[in-house]
Amino acid sequence: MRNGFGISMNKSEETISISNNNGENLLVLLEEEQRKSGYLSQEFITALAQSLDTPVSEIYGVISFYSFLSNKLQGRNIIRICKNLPCFLKNSELIIKCITQELGIKPGQTTPDGRFTLVLTNCIGACDKAPAMMINNDIYGDLTPQKITKILESYK
Amino acid sequence: MPEKHIVLRNCGVINPEDLTSYTARGGFQALKKALSIGPEQIIKEIKESGLRGRGGAGFPCGLKWEFTRNTKEQSKYLICNADEGEVGTFKDHFILENDPFSLIEGIAIASYAIGVKKSYIYLRGEYHNLSGRLQNAINQAKENKFLTHVNIEIREGAGAYVCGEESALMDSIEGKRGEARFKPPFPTDKGLWQKPTVINNVETLMNIPQIILNGAAWFNQIGTERSKGTKVFSVSGDVACPGVYELILGSSLKELLINISQSDNIKVVQIGGATGRLVPGTAIDTPLSFESVLGAGSITVFNETRNIMDIVYHTMEFLAEESCGKCTPCREGTEVMKLIIDKFRCGNGTQHDMQLLTELSSAMSLASLCGLGQAAPNVITDSMQYFRDVYESLIPANLRGVKA
Amino acid sequence: MADITVTINGNQITGHAGITILELAKENSIDIPTLCYCPDLPPMGACRLCVVEVAGSKALVGSCHTPISQGMVIQTHSPKVMATRKIIIELLLASHSGFCTVCDKSNICELRKLAMDMDIGLSRFQSKKRYFPIEDISPYITRDLSKCVLCRRCLQICNEVAKKRVFGIGYRGFNSKVIVDLDQPIDKEVCRDCGLCITSCPTGALSNPAQIGEEKKGTPLVIRG
Ligand SMILES: Cc1cc2nc3c(=O)[nH]c(=O)nc-3n(C[C@H](O)[C@H](O)[C@H](O)COP(=O)(O)O)c2cc1C
Ligand code: SF4
Ligand code: FES
Ligand code: FES
């Protein structure tokens, strides 16, 4: 039967996923490495391509699809400021301005000392506490310019 | 109609880290009952209860289960959709944080009824901090022998809204890019790994234990003709008390926004997030139900000081960014719409642009592959319907009335 | 297999169970335009050009991937369908930054043919243009992704027929792109000279490396509008 494309045919029960014979799953492996190393190095991608018998292009296709995965070296801490409407209504632009000034970088950039990477993101599910942001996995809500400095200080 | 807690009955009452506090409130009694009455009877109860999916589409839950149960395939899957990417939605976060056990019980009952041995919880990457609590709930349930018939695994997303769409979600669990698939075949027929699959929202599954315990007749008398039970709403924006509220279906917007979350000077309300509908402040008596408007239950309020074009532009920007890019109408259309709205925002619209928006909206909703592209024009069509004067005021005076 | 009878444009037509609306239409010389469809390969349903109206369905239905079922009532060229297809082509033209006059494949370009069939001159939409550098380091293939319409046929042919899996899809939304390795220019390491993808490409995005003095293929197409 017809079943989409770009799929590797393994003999395991879960036939058409991108996974190796140990049932390891491409996305799961990428997420683990991203958490561990902060980014996905070229060596890692090449090795993974071999062990999963999957072309590099397909793996990079997955990496570039998901906004949490990156093959570029990133800061030790990643700040994700929400830019969607509920936060926008609560003046998230002021927070963005405040953090860009504090760190001296624009969204998409990393501080020269590698301490922070700043990105703008879509709703993080804290709209009742808007404006909100995430640093690594922690969510901060009801942000004010006064709170920012203190929060940033706690990340080294 | 008043607030009523069915889904949220344990939230804030039990200790979400401790199973005994859940069983003390009658936890896992429903599972026990379910195991004694058998799969057919469970599905019959769910069908009779009139429970419809809470993730946005509102598909009758019992039917979905029945389709999948009745397929000849041996391996089937159940997926709990905890991707919650819709702008302005945070109810599932609240539920998972406060009462993970009810969800586990719901999954256990559903798995037994459908005949599933493996279930997944697809948790969005942004909620990584909840996965520990959820895993703990699974472990405790397992230790207490509640999960002997099913294996529950948590899978995490990695920041892609479209992965909330069921076919994209399945591709994501398979480890691929989260791109939508064409339908048919439907997931109940060929879903995850091409096996029959049921996908249910967190809130849908939260209702299951209570329905099994109290019976279909009890659930059926709550709500309206075609919308049974309660709905959990996430209220945000220009309101005094933003937060999560559970109301009986069919309650009016007024009840929720004026009486409960205390907002005033409402210009417009966005119901159902970026793919949802706009309701002008004048239509405050609109009931919240599947017959009327509902979506995933996110309610964002905008007061009189807000600019309509900001609302439309931000929504389109979100959709353009989150489009998976597989199908032409959505990939190209969201970008074009964003650019046209930006023109209006700068006061450079034309009559011709309004015509183009109308035609484009219709093509996108007719031809897009998945719900994202099909619903993307909602914000444009609704804003053009209710705030046509705003659009017209953004056409330079010398071009007004000029036809294309 | 049992036969199934459906109504297409008012006529009762019978076909084998399991075939798609598009296949049945083809058998009966009804012309439905397609872009991402590759005959005999699994459908992708990506371009949405092949949509048709099926009674009872609110949205239009992709004919290349929807199997026929008993009693289906199908309109392949209703006004609604035609208007939608036209918009899809206009959208593709809006972001297409190829210059037809200097394109080697302009006379055999499917996008231009489709536009001509639908009486489209210039697109009414304005969009961002896709601009990418031309990749001409491979002796076997020249890629100009500015002309790519993301039909994914090269990917499908390479995966399913050539079995080389050279291409992938990278990024998402408007930024989607057919990529090679870590989004690198295509070179001879990754690709043999089978040339299947070049013949499958509907536009000038994939072509044989230019030979000096070579003539343009095909009879000249007229650009309208
Ligand atoms: C673009 C898009 C995003 C969606 N996001 C979610 C989501 O975050 N959570 C969810 O439960 N359903 C989401 N859905 C709906 C699902 O596709 C599906 O209908 C739902 O999970 C089915 O569960 P239910 O029947 O319990 O509602 C989304 C749909 C679309 C089209
Ligand atoms: S509608 Fe948008 S999100 Fe859905 S398949 Fe098409 S491009 Fe992807
Ligand atoms: S909109 Fe910012 S967290 Fe939801
Ligand atoms: S030909 Fe059917 S969607 Fe492209």
Side-chain angles (χ1 to χ4, degrees):
Chain A
M1 187 50 204
R2 306 176 155 134
N3 48 19
F5 66 99
I7 43 191
S8 57
M9 296 290 178
N10 277 343
K11 292 288 167 289
S12 65
E13 180 225 333
E14 302 178 339
T15 31
I16 54 160
S17 65
I18 306 175
S19 57
N20 65 14
N21 294 331
N22 307 331
E24 286 172 314
N25 176 294
L26 173 59
L27 185 55
V28 174
L29 293 172
L30 291 174
E31 282 171 355
E32 275 170 11
E33 175 68 12
Q34 177 80 39
R35 288 223 168 80
K36 208 171 77 201
S37 312
Y39 83 118
L40 303 157
S41 66
Q42 188 158 353
E43 297 76 62
F44 177 80
I45 296 172
T46 323
L48 196 61
Q50 275 189 350
S51 92
L52 296 180
D53 189 22
T54 303
V56 170
S57 57
E58 207 165 316
I59 298 187
Y60 187 63
V62 173
I63 296 174
S64 57
F65 184 88
Y66 294 97
S67 57
F68 279 19
L69 303 178
S70 171
N71 66 332
K72 310 247 156 43
L73 196 56
Q74 290 182 301
R76 291 191 295 284
N77 304 295
I78 302 183
I79 307 177
R80 294 191 164 87
I81 312 179
C82 170
K83 64 171 163 41
N84 287 155
L85 273 169
C87 285
F88 173 79
L89 295 182
K90 303 285 170 179
N91 225 346
S92 60
E93 295 196 317
L94 178 68
I95 303 299
I96 297 170
K97 205 169 127 211
C98 186
I99 294 192
T100 47
Q101 274 172 3
E102 183 98 2
L103 300 177
I105 51 170
K106 291 205 197 76
Q109 297 179 333
T110 303
T111 51
D113 59 0
R115 190 165 146 226
F116 288 111
T117 295
L118 177 63
V119 286
L120 300 184
T121 191
N122 287 323
C123 182
I124 51 176
C127 332
D128 51 341
K129 302 191 272 292
M133 69 172 177
M134 278 174 87
I135 302 186
N136 304 334
N137 292 315
D138 302 319
I139 294 181
Y140 296 92
D142 295 319
L143 296 173
T144 57
Q146 291 76 27
K147 282 189 191 168
I148 297 286
T149 321
K150 243 187 107 193
I151 295 175
L152 291 187
E153 264 169 17
S154 61
Y155 289 87
K156 288 290 167 256
Chain B
M1 272 175 265
E3 285 191 77
K4 182 176 177 79
H5 285 181
I6 297 176
V7 173
L8 303 181
R9 66 186 284 277
N10 291 327
C11 292
V13 182
I14 63 162
N15 174 358
E17 300 278 345
D18 181 12
L19 187 110
T20 50
S21 74
Y22 178 62
T23 44
R25 294 257 306 162
F28 287 107
Q29 290 302 323
L31 177 64
K32 205 186 255 170
K33 183 170 171 196
L35 294 175
S36 71
I37 63 177
E40 271 85 21
Q41 189 61 29
I42 301 175
I43 292 183
K44 190 162 162 278
E45 287 281 321
I46 300 298
K47 268 168 73 182
E48 278 171 11
S49 74
L51 176 67
R52 294 171 66 175
R54 303 295 197 234
F59 193 84
C61 181
L63 273 184
K64 220 189 247 188
W65 291 15
E66 193 174 52
F67 289 151
T68 309
R69 174 168 181 81
N70 291 344
T71 54
K72 285 188 269 330
E73 278 283 354
Q74 276 310 303
S75 43
K76 326 175 190 183
Y77 299 95
L78 170 73
I79 303 173
C80 167
N81 188 343
D83 192 53
E84 198 169 55
E86 193 59 79
V87 178
T89 321
F90 41 93
K91 62 171 179 89
D92 292 346
H93 187 280
F94 183 83
I95 292 171
L96 294 170
E97 191 172 18
N98 288 295
D99 184 14
F101 297 111
S102 293
L103 177 66
I104 303 299
E105 185 172 4
I107 294 177
I109 296 172
S111 303
Y112 171 67
I114 306 163
V116 162
K117 291 183 195 65
K118 173 97 193 206
S119 296
Y120 291 92
I121 300 176
Y122 187 85
L123 187 68
R124 67 187 303 216
E126 286 84 344
Y127 293 176
H128 178 68
N129 276 0
L130 290 176
S131 75
R133 175 166 291 181
L134 208 48
Q135 189 61 53
N136 172 51
I138 296 172
N139 293 347
Q140 290 193 14
K142 217 185 253 170
E143 279 159 27
N144 286 281
K145 305 265 181 299
F146 292 126
L147 298 179
T148 48
H149 60 293
V150 60
N151 197 347
I152 306 178
E153 185 179 334
I154 302 174
R155 276 294 171 82
E156 287 187 45
Y161 162 65
V162 67
C163 289
E165 198 279 334
E166 47 193 13
S167 60
L169 191 157
M170 295 184 301
D171 269 21
S172 182
I173 292 186
E174 290 176 12
K176 298 188 262 186
R177 292 163 59 80
E179 288 181 351
R181 306 174 182 173
F182 52 77
K183 295 168 202 156
F186 292 94
T188 47
D189 200 12
K190 284 192 163 31
L192 190 60
W193 291 300
Q194 300 294 310
K195 303 287 185 216
T197 304
V198 171
I199 303 183
N200 275 138
N201 175 252
V202 171
E203 190 188 337
T204 315
L205 290 165
M206 292 290 288
N207 277 297
I208 304 298
Q210 292 306 310
I211 295 176
I212 295 300
L213 271 186
N214 301 313
W218 162 79
F219 193 79
N220 206 274
Q221 39 103 29
I222 309 168
T224 72
E225 181 64 35
R226 284 170 53 222
S227 313
K228 299 298 180 191
T230 60
K231 178 83 189 82
V232 182
F233 294 98
S234 322
V235 182
S236 64
D238 295 320
V239 295
C241 315
V244 175
Y245 303 99
E246 182 173 4
L247 266 71
I248 293 178
L249 277 166
S251 305
S252 73
L253 197 54
K254 189 170 171 185
E255 170 97 30
L256 178 60
L257 294 185
I258 312 284
N259 303 358
I260 300 177
S261 49
Q262 296 171 17
S263 49
D264 49 12
N265 286 326
I266 302 174
K267 184 176 202 168
V268 64
V269 184
Q270 190 170 36
I271 301 183
T275 52
R277 315 290 323 199
L278 294 181
V279 173
T282 46
I284 193 81
D285 288 319
T286 307
L288 294 162
S289 64
F290 289 108
E291 294 97 317
S292 155
V293 281
L294 198 60
S298 74
I299 310 246
T300 309
V301 181
F302 304 89
N303 67 22
E304 289 293 350
T305 66
R306 305 298 178 181
N307 179 344
I308 290 294
M309 283 301 153
D310 275 349
I311 301 174
V312 182
Y313 182 78
H314 271 87
T315 304
M316 280 328 292
E317 190 187 27
F318 169 82
L319 293 167
E321 204 169 289
E322 296 293 344
S323 157
C324 83
K326 180 174 180 181
C327 74
T328 319
C330 170
R331 179 187 67 232
E332 308 287 332
T334 47
E335 189 68 30
V336 170
M337 281 183 163
K338 194 179 89 182
L339 295 174
I340 298 183
I341 295 299
D342 201 34
K343 267 174 83 181
F344 276 97
R345 212 157 67 126
C346 306
N348 284 329
T350 64
Q351 213 81 31
H352 182 56
D353 286 332
M354 289 178 69
Q355 174 64 26
L356 286 182
L357 280 179
T358 316
E359 285 185 35
L360 183 55
S361 299
S362 137
M364 280 171 70
S365 55
L366 285 172
S368 291
L369 185 56
C370 85
L372 196 158
Q374 286 166 6
N378 284 352
V379 67
I380 303 239
T381 42
D382 287 354
S383 60
M384 289 226 287
Q385 180 181 347
Y386 302 119
F387 302 96
R388 205 172 180 87
D389 50 328
V390 177
Y391 278 85
E392 275 161 3
S393 72
L394 292 167
I395 299 174
N398 57 340
L399 293 179
R400 266 175 224 164
V402 177
K403 285 271 177 286
Chain C
M1 258 197 254
D3 280 352
I4 284 181
T5 304
V6 303
T7 311
I8 300 188
N9 303 338
N11 302 319
Q12 297 237 326
I13 297 179
T14 305
H16 296 301
I19 67 170
T20 61
I21 300 175
L22 180 68
E23 284 161 344
L24 181 66
K26 280 195 164 197
E27 283 173 11
N28 292 279
S29 312
I30 299 167
D31 186 34
I32 300 177
T34 62
L35 200 53
C36 69
Y37 170 73
C38 309
D40 303 324
L41 294 184
M44 292 173 284
C47 75
R48 313 309 295 157
L49 200 62
C50 69
V51 287
V52 296
E53 208 173 329
V54 173
S57 160
K58 226 169 48 195
L60 299 178
V61 167
S63 63
C64 71
H65 58 74
T66 307
I68 50 170
S69 61
Q70 188 60 40
M72 246 183 188
V73 180
I74 302 160
Q75 291 285 340
T76 59
H77 287 77
S78 67
K80 197 156 109 180
V81 170
M82 296 308 284
T84 305
R85 285 188 194 143
K86 206 170 154 182
I87 298 250
I88 293 175
I89 293 293
E90 284 190 84
L91 284 172
L92 286 172
L93 287 172
S95 60
H96 186 81
S97 54
F99 298 102
C100 301
T101 41
V102 296
C103 176
D104 277 344
K105 279 171 96 176
S106 63
N107 294 340
I108 49 170
C109 173
E110 285 181 33
L111 183 61
R112 280 191 56 193
K113 278 212 183 89
L114 286 165
M116 224 173 61
D117 291 348
M118 291 179 207
D119 228 355
I120 300 167
L122 295 174
S123 173
R124 290 171 297 159
F125 299 108
Q126 282 177 354
S127 187
K128 272 201 299 222
K129 295 277 184 194
R130 293 198 172 81
Y131 280 116
F132 298 103
I134 295 178
E135 300 168 10
D136 55 0
I137 49 177
S138 162
Y140 311 124
I141 179 170
T142 300
R143 270 198 344 153
D144 181 359
L145 288 181
S146 309
K147 296 173 182 165
C148 171
V149 289
L150 287 158
C151 70
R152 306 182 176 204
R153 266 155 53 176
C154 53
L155 200 121
Q156 187 82 330
I157 291 274
C158 192
N159 288 351
E160 305 275 332
V161 182
K163 309 264 184 215
K164 295 295 287 181
R165 303 207 284 165
V166 169
F167 302 110
I169 296 284
Y171 313 96
R172 72 176 180 219
F174 188 82
N175 299 326
S176 301
K177 183 183 172 194
V178 179
I179 56 167
V180 175
D181 286 349
L182 295 165
D183 194 6
Q184 285 144 333
I186 187 164
D187 60 21
K188 68 176 164 208
E189 304 300 322
V190 291
C191 166
R192 295 182 303 178
D193 59 343
C194 77
L196 282 175
C197 55
I198 299 178
T199 30
S200 78
C201 178
T203 68
L206 301 183
S207 53
N208 286 306
Q211 311 263 313
I212 294 173
E214 197 184 23
E215 296 233 337
K216 265 196 189 187
K217 287 204 184 71
T219 45
L221 284 175
V222 188
I223 308 177
R224 288 184 203 227

